[in-house]
């Protein structure tokens, strides 16, 4: 399956052994309705693997995200200054070694780092932040579970 499918397509798991995870994601980011655009990068942020049409995260923006995950300061730079995604500035509401959440008015972004990938997802003002965060974090958990 291509990485683009994790961004755009909805998949249903018709049957699986409950003792093992499904062999593919149950749904992608955008198809859930909780995310309106998304991108997937390698964990270094040097290669975009997939993205929604028109959703462009600049190299400097993803580099700042990667830097924030490595920042072990008491107060991270991203917490005091915010960050940019697709040309828009977001105020940081959560930042740790796995997740970065930002808000701009009622819309926001959820960024999750897995072993080999970074998921960048934008949600519109009509979606509750918790629903968007759960969608992205669950895909992150799935990818980690299958070695990504």
């Amino acid at each position: 399956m291509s990485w683009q499918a994790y961004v755009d397509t909805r998949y249903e798991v018709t049957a699986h052994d409950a003792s093992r995870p499904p062999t593919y994601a149950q749904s992608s980011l955008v198809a859930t309705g909780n995310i309106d655009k998304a991108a997937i990068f390698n964990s270094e942020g040097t290669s975009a693997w997939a993205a929604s049409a028109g959703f462009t995260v600049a190299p400097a923006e993803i580099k700042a995200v990667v830097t924030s995950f490595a920042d072990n300061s008491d107060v991270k730079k991203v917490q005091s200054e915010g960050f940019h995604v697709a040309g828009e500035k977001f105020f940081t509401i959560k930042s740790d070694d796995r997740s970065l959440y930002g808000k701009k008015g009622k819309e926001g972004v959820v960024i999750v780092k897995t072993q080999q990938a970074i998921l960048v997802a934008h949600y519109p003002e009509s979606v509750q932040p918790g629903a968007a965060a759960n969608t992205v974090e669950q895909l992150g958990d799935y990818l980690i579970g299958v070695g990504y």
Side-chain angles (χ1 to χ4, degrees):
M1 174 170 33
S2 77
W3 285 104
Q4 193 66 41
Y6 288 104
V7 171
D8 296 326
T9 312
R10 183 167 186 83
Y11 289 90
E12 297 296 333
V13 176
T14 55
H16 76 275
D17 180 346
S19 66
R20 296 181 310 174
T23 57
Y24 48 84
Q26 292 182 10
S27 62
S28 72
L29 297 170
V30 175
T32 65
N34 294 329
I35 301 299
D36 62 352
K37 45 195 168 188
I40 301 175
F41 292 84
N42 68 340
S43 62
E44 296 82 27
T46 57
S47 177
W49 291 348
S52 297
F55 187 58
T56 304
V57 181
E61 294 171 340
I62 194 66
K63 183 178 180 186
V65 168
V66 170
T67 300
S68 78
F69 288 129
D71 186 351
N72 293 321
S73 306
D74 286 340
V75 177
K76 295 181 175 193
K77 181 178 177 182
V78 72
Q79 291 171 308
S80 60
E81 297 180 9
F83 60 98
H84 290 82
V85 170
E88 297 187 45
K89 182 170 184 174
F90 293 88
F91 295 97
T92 305
I93 57 175
K94 177 183 178 179
S95 177
D96 59 31
D97 60 352
R98 173 187 156 129
S99 303
L100 177 61
Y101 297 0
K103 288 274 286 180
K104 178 186 167 209
K106 293 182 179 181
E107 65 185 80
V109 292
V110 177
I111 303 173
V112 174
K113 183 178 186 295
T114 70
Q115 296 164 0
Q116 298 182 40
I118 297 174
L119 311 174
V120 181
H122 178 275
Y123 61 91
E125 61 183 50
S126 61
V127 173
Q128 292 294 317
N134 285 339
T135 296
V136 183
E137 293 284 358
Q138 286 174 359
L139 181 55
D141 290 342
Y142 168 77
L143 291 173
I144 290 168
V146 296
Y148 276 95

